[in-house]
Amino acid sequence: MTLTVYGIKNCDSMKKAFQWLDSQGIAYTFVDFKRTPPNPAEIEAWLAGVGDALVNTRGPSYRQLPDAVRADFSGDVRIQAIVDKPTLIKRPLLVRGQVMTVGFQPETWTTIPHLLTD
């Protein structure tokens, strides 16, 4: 099973992740949210896998959401907001089957069983 890295190509965290993965010789497939936006089923699976950590609540995309959406940021409201604005997802999102994590944290990545290798 291949490691899939989700994010936005020109994001600084993504550039660091690509550089680190490449330097470690770890094969991966990259999915750019701007070219291939996530669907609700993917978002639900990611939320089940990483929980609230999926959303970057400190970034401009979250701060720009209407107050009403932020006040009820759960369930279908949260999923639809992410579908509409995938930049809400913390980057990078690394997924290998049911194993996943978010954020540039290579020291943590190496401790997660089956994330970087089969």
Side-chain angles (χ1 to χ4, degrees):
M1 185 170 298
T2 303
L3 173 68
T4 304
V5 179
Y6 295 89
I8 297 169
K9 186 175 184 175
N10 292 325
C11 168
D12 288 340
S13 293
M14 294 302 301
K15 290 176 184 178
K16 289 182 208 174
F18 297 143
Q19 185 177 38
W20 188 87
L21 291 165
D22 292 342
S23 74
Q24 300 299 307
I26 298 169
Y28 60 90
T29 300
F30 172 60
V31 177
D32 191 328
F33 288 141
K34 290 193 176 192
R35 294 180 186 257
T36 309
N39 62 51
E42 288 173 313
I43 295 166
E44 285 182 33
W46 298 336
L47 285 166
V50 298
D52 292 338
L54 181 67
V55 177
N56 180 7
T57 57
R58 296 181 349 188
S61 294
Y62 183 78
R63 290 192 305 267
Q64 293 168 358
L65 290 174
D67 291 340
V69 171
R70 282 187 291 159
D72 186 27
F73 201 67
S74 62
D76 291 340
V77 170
R78 176 167 57 179
I79 291 170
Q80 189 59 52
I82 297 169
V83 166
D84 293 343
K85 191 173 259 201
T87 55
L88 286 165
I89 297 172
K90 190 174 199 175
R91 300 177 294 273
L93 168 63
L94 279 65
V95 178
R96 184 186 296 267
Q98 299 300 313
V99 180
M100 57 192 78
T101 189
V102 292
F104 178 70
Q105 301 175 327
E107 65 283 352
T108 302
W109 298 348
T110 59
T111 66
I112 301 172
H114 310 293
L115 178 65
L116 302 177
T117 59
D118 283 328

